[in-house]
Amino acid sequence: MRPACSGAGDGWETGGMPVLDPNPQHGQKKMLFVFGGFLAIFVIIGIVATIASP
């Protein structure tokens, strides 16, 4: 008798990890631009806050 969660093949079978699509569709491309814009805004705010701090 073996434990319930031992050995290969037990649990979820998800395959490989998902990767970014090299040629995203229009909706995905727009979403990537939005998230990139948010990240850029946070980086700019961080740089300005670092320079403005005494």
Side-chain angles (χ1 to χ4, degrees):
M1 188 186 266
R2 67 186 181 111
C5 292
S6 68
D10 291 337
W12 297 100
E13 293 293 329
T14 58
M17 292 295 290
V19 295
L20 289 175
D21 188 5
N23 297 314
Q25 301 299 320
H26 295 292
Q28 291 174 339
K29 190 177 290 188
K30 188 182 294 185
M31 189 171 64
L32 285 173
F33 282 135
V34 169
F35 287 148
F38 283 148
L39 183 62
I41 289 171
F42 287 134
V43 168
I44 291 171
I45 289 173
I47 292 172
V48 169
T50 303
I51 293 172
S53 66

